[in-house]
Amino acid sequence: MKKLTLLFLLIVMSFSLFASSNNEEKQTVTDELVIYAYDSFTSEWGPGPQIVPLFEEKYGVKVNMVSFGDAGSVLTKVISEKEAPKADIVIGIDNNLLAKALKSDVLKPYSSDTVKSLDKGLQFDKKSSLIPFDYGYFSIIYDSKVLSNPPKSLEDLTKPEYKNSLILMDPRTSSPGLGFLLWTISVYGDKYLDYWNRLKPSILTITDGWTSGYGLFTQGEAPMVLSYTTSPSYHIEYEDNNRYKALLFEEGNYMQLEGLGIVKGSKNEVNAKKFIDFMLSADAQQIIPLTNWMFPVNNSVELPKSYDSALKPETSLQLDFSDIEKNYEVWINQWSENAVK
């Protein structure tokens, strides 16, 4: 009887290995990869047009990179295609959208020696459904030629001297906008709407996205704008201009980690795994600082000189993704009904 049982197990194991091998062979023969990413990643000045050709040349894979607005729009697109996925890789889902991504069950976890080698503090998804490829800190950027006495805290922003001085983004349509909303919640907790009420007089406008908001700032419409601590590095690198400064606040600055992941049901899964490992390599990571204007997750990358001005706060703020998952809709609705009126 024991011999029969052993024989049965061997047959089952052999069948499983055969099936797995066939599946692997089927995946490895593909030479395509479909990537969904946010607009700035795929734009001519973004990292995509530099990283993708390197990957294509190294692995002989043809990449079709498609953009869908900001990261929230990209995730929405992937969710809408859940029953018939068209993408293999999704890029740009950050720690603030992690809960929504996990709840929708559209990503397949992936791990490798390369993924495991990342700083544990940056691995915001313990199951590696989303793998970090860069990170940064939200900050208020100010024009030092206009503002001689910049605020030192979120609370300072509410002072009368900063009336109509601040440009923010809408958290319903912008990941920096969502990041600032979560920043205020992480500091003020249940009293965050009271803070927004105090902040209202200081807000000149709330734009749909970062590009339009930052554009108004550089046009001189207001002396302060929501962006990242790395933003002044751009002006130093390409304009030799150091008038724009980032602020580290007494309460701390909110951290953003951007990730990429394999879409569940990917038709080119082996290539997707290769792309993730390539995105974490020094060849790809060294492109991040001067294109995506974020810090690379690969510590071997030497930052450009312009990043000497890119500040890292002593206190890095983040909300637990489970709290975001539980309260996301409530917070967005409350903000929409109260903070912008």
Side-chain angles (χ1 to χ4, degrees):
M1 184 62 184
K2 288 184 177 179
K3 289 183 178 179
L4 287 174
T5 302
L6 178 60
L7 178 61
F8 175 75
L9 289 173
L10 288 172
I11 292 173
V12 170
M13 290 175 62
S14 298
F15 178 80
S16 298
L17 288 172
F18 177 76
S20 175
S21 175
N22 271 354
N23 188 41
E24 187 78 4
E25 287 176 2
K26 184 179 179 181
Q27 292 173 354
T28 53
V29 296
T30 65
D31 58 0
E32 299 177 346
L33 185 69
V34 179
I35 296 174
Y36 284 3
Y38 52 83
D39 285 346
S40 58
F41 188 93
T42 65
S43 66
E44 60 179 330
W45 60 85
Q50 292 189 43
I51 291 174
V52 166
L54 295 177
F55 175 78
E56 290 180 320
E57 182 178 0
K58 183 172 184 177
Y59 292 103
V61 173
K62 179 60 179 176
V63 174
N64 180 19
M65 190 165 55
V66 187
S67 62
F68 292 99
D70 70 1
S73 300
V74 175
L75 179 57
T76 299
K77 180 66 175 177
V78 172
I79 294 172
S80 71
E81 296 176 351
K82 181 177 180 179
E83 300 305 321
K86 298 178 181 177
D88 303 300
I89 288 280
V90 59
I91 292 179
I93 310 304
D94 67 10
N95 49 321
N96 300 321
L97 290 170
L98 171 63
K100 184 177 181 180
L102 294 181
K103 187 177 182 179
S104 63
D105 192 31
V106 292
L107 300 175
K108 182 174 183 176
Y110 171 63
S111 187
S112 67
D113 290 342
T114 306
V115 173
K116 292 175 183 175
S117 70
L118 295 175
D119 185 332
K120 300 300 180 187
L122 299 178
Q123 297 188 39
F124 61 100
D125 177 13
K126 303 306 179 188
K127 294 182 178 179
S128 294
S129 296
L130 280 173
I131 296 152
F133 68 91
D134 67 16
Y135 68 99
Y137 304 91
F138 293 115
S139 173
I140 300 301
I141 306 298
Y142 75 100
D143 185 342
S144 63
K145 288 193 174 181
V146 178
L147 207 60
S148 58
N149 185 31
K152 297 178 180 177
S153 65
L154 285 176
E155 198 58 43
D156 276 357
L157 279 174
T158 67
K159 291 181 176 179
E161 64 191 272
Y162 303 121
K163 183 178 180 181
N164 294 329
S165 296
L166 177 62
I167 297 172
L168 296 176
M169 292 96 211
D170 192 326
R172 296 169 295 186
T173 55
S174 162
S175 54
L178 176 60
F180 187 75
L181 172 61
L182 298 179
W183 187 357
T184 63
I185 294 171
S186 70
V187 172
Y188 292 97
D190 294 340
K191 304 293 185 183
Y192 80 96
L193 287 176
D194 294 338
Y195 172 76
W196 276 87
N197 283 328
R198 296 196 299 278
L199 183 65
K200 280 180 186 177
S202 299
I203 301 172
L204 176 68
T205 187
I206 297 175
T207 60
D208 288 339
W210 176 88
T211 301
S212 55
Y214 203 81
L216 290 174
F217 169 68
T218 55
Q219 291 167 20
E221 294 296 324
M224 294 189 291
V225 66
L226 171 65
S227 194
Y228 298 85
T229 62
T230 48
S231 296
S233 302
Y234 170 86
H235 300 284
I236 294 172
E237 181 73 27
Y238 291 118
E239 301 171 353
D240 194 24
N241 182 352
N242 63 1
R243 67 186 288 180
Y244 302 117
K245 312 285 188 183
L247 293 169
L248 296 183
F249 279 171
E250 294 170 352
E251 303 96 333
N253 289 54
Y254 201 83
M255 187 178 191
Q256 183 186 38
L257 295 127
E258 292 189 307
L260 74 167
I262 299 174
V263 177
K264 187 174 285 187
S266 161
K267 298 179 179 64
N268 303 292
E269 187 174 325
V270 171
N271 293 336
K273 292 176 179 177
K274 289 178 181 176
F275 186 81
I276 286 179
D277 287 334
F278 185 75
M279 273 289 289
L280 303 180
S281 71
D283 287 344
Q285 287 280 295
Q286 66 183 357
I287 294 172
I288 295 294
L290 294 183
T291 53
N292 228 29
W293 298 99
M294 298 282 274
F295 294 104
V297 295
N298 187 324
N299 292 327
S300 71
V301 173
E302 184 177 351
L303 294 172
K305 183 66 177 176
S306 57
Y307 266 62
D308 289 350
S309 65
L311 305 176
K312 291 186 178 181
E314 290 186 8
T315 302
S316 172
L317 301 173
Q318 280 191 77
L319 289 173
D320 189 274
F321 83 89
S322 61
D323 289 335
I324 298 175
E325 177 183 23
K326 180 181 178 182
N327 298 293
Y328 178 83
E329 296 295 337
V330 173
W331 289 336
I332 289 293
N333 290 335
Q334 287 180 338
W335 181 89
S336 302
E337 294 172 0
N338 297 281
V340 295
K341 292 181 178 177

